[in-house]
Amino acid sequence: MNSGASEVARDFRPLFRVYRDGRVERYKLLDRIHPVPAGLDPSTGVESKDVVVSSKTGVSARIFVPKIDGPDRKLPLLVHYHGGGFCAGSPFDTIVNDILSTMVTRAHVVAISIGYRLAPEYPLPIAYEDSFEALKWIAGHSDGSGPEPWLNRYADLGRIFIQGESAGANISQYVAVRAGAAGLTRVRIKGVLIVHPFFGGTEMDEMYKFMCPTSSRLDDDPRLNPAVDPDLPKMACEKVLVCVAEKDSLRNTGVKYYETLCGSEWEGKAELEEAKDEGHCFHAFSKNERAERLITKMVDFITKD
């Protein structure tokens, strides 16, 4: 046995480390983050179920449906991509369940959170491709005869919103641009919520370099810097809400993204929302006045034209 195999080759705290034999070990971020089974939440009336998006890749998702009083009627669909640095997070954990149960209840939408495959075991851009393929799978339900009965029954694919936090916000903007560039039909994306997004800067991000060997890892990569993406004006939505937090290290690149979008030939409407005195994804961990203000802003973005 090679004793060196148990040595740590790369350490990317606080997310993961890689041993010389290729094993990946993830750090536990917070004790409060743990798996949550699908089912009925009696406190909110929200019901959830897990579905397979692709048997080939193993990508799955969780669907959330609000309590519906009276006859069935189709509701807007919120397509969600979780955060976690492309290497952590899940549709099936406490963070996503808390966020989406709130959004589903207050905005009265159906939500689906996509479990894209994680780096580094599945190097980027696999997460991006999984995420766009999931949107195409959703589009396959537009005539009411797709493989998932809940989407056929409850989701109005003419009123889709996309939401992501952190790395998930990066993926969300990529999916919206890709949908427009590819001319994806059978769905209409009304808006995209870009919450505390991760984008690149002028300095190389070593973890992103490790997870995405094909990327330059600098600001000439359109996934890290949408300003250099020639398809940005084709972004397939009518409006975008960019949310940043004053004490978030990613704040400035989030503002830069907003300014880039406003200065591009994209024909939609962009809005910037900044939370003062708060850090990255604070609304997922805090229940204070500023978190309530952000959630209300996100809900209003969906419910109000």
Side-chain angles (χ1 to χ4, degrees):
M1 179 177 176
N2 183 3
S3 58
S6 61
E7 295 179 4
V8 175
R10 300 297 299 270
D11 196 334
F12 296 107
R13 291 177 184 268
L15 292 170
F16 67 91
R17 59 184 175 182
V18 183
Y19 293 91
R20 293 195 181 279
D21 64 2
R23 289 181 296 118
V24 175
E25 180 182 12
R26 286 175 171 79
Y27 293 105
K28 186 172 180 60
L29 299 177
L30 293 170
D31 288 338
R32 62 161 290 189
I33 303 177
H34 54 80
V36 177
L40 177 65
D41 180 349
S43 66
T44 62
V46 173
E47 192 167 3
S48 61
K49 69 182 291 191
D50 298 338
V51 298
V52 175
V53 173
S54 170
S55 57
K56 179 179 179 180
T57 62
V59 171
S60 57
R62 178 164 290 181
I63 302 176
F64 300 79
V65 175
K67 181 179 180 181
I68 300 175
D69 296 318
D72 288 353
R73 61 187 180 90
K74 292 200 172 184
L75 304 174
L77 178 66
L78 180 62
V79 181
H80 177 260
Y81 298 103
H82 66 80
F86 306 99
C87 60
S90 163
F92 317 114
D93 68 22
T94 47
I95 295 295
V96 170
N97 276 256
D98 288 350
I99 290 173
L100 290 189
S101 291
T102 299
M103 294 298 292
V104 161
T105 301
R106 294 178 56 172
H108 207 59
V109 296
V110 175
I112 179 169
S113 185
I114 307 302
Y116 54 84
R117 288 174 288 176
L118 300 177
E121 294 92 335
Y122 298 96
L124 296 171
I126 287 176
Y128 293 100
E129 297 302 325
D130 285 349
S131 298
F132 182 60
E133 288 299 315
L135 183 62
K136 290 167 61 178
W137 177 82
I138 290 168
H141 295 76
S142 61
D143 62 357
S145 61
E148 173 43 50
W150 278 18
L151 293 181
N152 292 330
R153 181 177 180 181
Y154 297 118
D156 180 355
L157 301 192
R159 293 184 292 165
I160 286 182
F161 291 85
I162 298 176
Q163 175 184 328
E165 302 84 30
S166 194
N170 178 293
I171 291 173
S172 294
Q173 99 84 36
Y174 168 86
V175 167
V177 171
R178 180 81 178 271
L184 185 64
T185 59
R186 301 177 292 170
V187 296
R188 180 184 179 188
I189 302 172
K190 298 280 289 180
V192 181
L193 295 103
I194 305 290
V195 184
H196 303 169
F198 166 81
F199 291 111
T202 56
E203 296 183 3
M204 186 177 294
D205 185 310
E206 288 297 325
M207 189 176 79
Y208 193 89
K209 173 183 176 180
F210 182 81
M211 295 189 299
C212 188
T214 60
S215 172
S216 68
R217 305 102 186 175
L218 294 171
D219 59 4
D220 60 347
D221 183 336
R223 289 186 291 261
L224 294 178
N225 179 20
V228 301
D229 188 348
D231 289 330
L232 183 62
K234 300 176 183 177
M235 192 173 188
C237 62
E238 301 169 16
K239 59 182 183 177
V240 172
L241 176 62
V242 181
C243 302
V244 298
E246 183 181 28
K247 295 184 177 180
D248 184 359
S249 63
L250 303 180
R251 180 231 178 237
N252 290 345
T253 52
V255 173
K256 179 183 175 183
Y257 170 72
Y258 164 75
E259 294 171 344
T260 295
L261 200 55
C262 291
S264 72
E265 295 180 358
W266 174 66
E267 296 180 351
K269 177 183 178 182
E271 184 178 359
L272 180 68
E273 175 75 10
E274 180 168 7
K276 300 298 183 181
D277 298 317
E278 292 289 359
H280 190 62
C281 291
F282 70 96
H283 62 296
F285 306 100
S286 303
K287 296 190 181 299
N288 57 26
E289 182 179 341
R290 287 183 288 268
E292 171 60 25
R293 188 180 304 127
L294 176 57
I295 294 294
T296 298
K297 186 71 177 181
M298 293 164 62
V299 169
D300 287 348
F301 178 79
I302 293 173
T303 59
K304 298 180 180 180
D305 291 330

